[in-house]
Amino acid sequence: MNAVHNVMETAVRDLLDQQWENLSISCHCEMCKLDVYALSLNRLKPRYVRDQSGSMYAKASLMTTQARATILTAITESAKVVSAYPHH
Amino acid sequence: MNAVHNVMETAVRDLLDQQWENLSISCHCEMCKLDVYALSLNRLKPRYVRDQSGSMYAKASLMTTQARATILTAITESAKVVSAYPHH
């Protein structure tokens, strides 16, 4: 039974992909990107839904300007942490 | 890039599997179980880690009596919600 997923993952990944090149971070390697991704997800409230169920409502709620601003703040803060304490 | 995962998922799934039969819930079908699973994960702080990185520390921190009690509380509360508002 692993038929649930966190729609926040897609929302953070999309925004991170869009903003990665503009992000103020000491290293732009793939490993640091994954660290920023994981850290951002840990700072945001999860939105798990059943795989079969319509996750459209949950997804739509993450597309508002407010939700995107909250996610971008989490990404920026996480980038600061990864810059200060890179894993490599 | 989907190389991160929430170790909380395994912790909740394990405890839910162990306790499912004893849980006070109006319906014990697989769909309701997944709803309890998703809802419990939404109530708990996520613990995302990079797939390649050692997630042992994060996993160990979820095996303490305190962590298990917190997870079990989330499961019990979620079971109440799913009992009151089943999705089918």
Side-chain angles (χ1 to χ4, degrees), chain B residues 4-67:
Chain B
V4 303
H5 67 282
N6 183 6
V7 296
M8 188 59 95
E9 287 185 22
T10 318
V12 173
R13 195 172 54 224
D14 289 351
L15 214 51
L16 186 58
D17 281 342
Q18 277 171 39
Q19 301 296 332
W20 183 240
E21 295 306 321
N22 315 317
L23 217 59
S24 168
I25 187 163
S26 59
C27 165
H28 276 85
C29 81
E30 198 57 22
M31 206 144 76
C32 283
K33 192 175 180 183
L34 286 176
D35 280 340
V36 172
Y37 184 34
L39 220 55
S40 302
L41 284 167
N42 286 341
R43 284 170 179 260
L44 294 159
K45 203 177 150 16
R47 305 278 182 101
Y48 279 90
V49 294
R50 244 195 296 129
D51 285 354
Q52 307 97 315
S53 81
S55 55
M56 291 316 290
Y57 177 76
K59 276 184 187 158
S61 72
L62 295 178
M63 284 173 188
T64 62
T65 312
Q66 180 57 59

Side-chain angles (χ1 to χ4, degrees), chain A residues 15 23 36 39-40 43-44 65-80:
Chain A
L15 215 51
L23 217 59
V36 173
L39 220 56
S40 302
R43 283 170 180 260
L44 295 159
T65 312
Q66 179 58 58
R68 287 172 61 90
T70 305
I71 295 170
L72 202 53
T73 304
I75 291 174
T76 312
E77 292 295 319
S78 303
K80 274 188 209 164

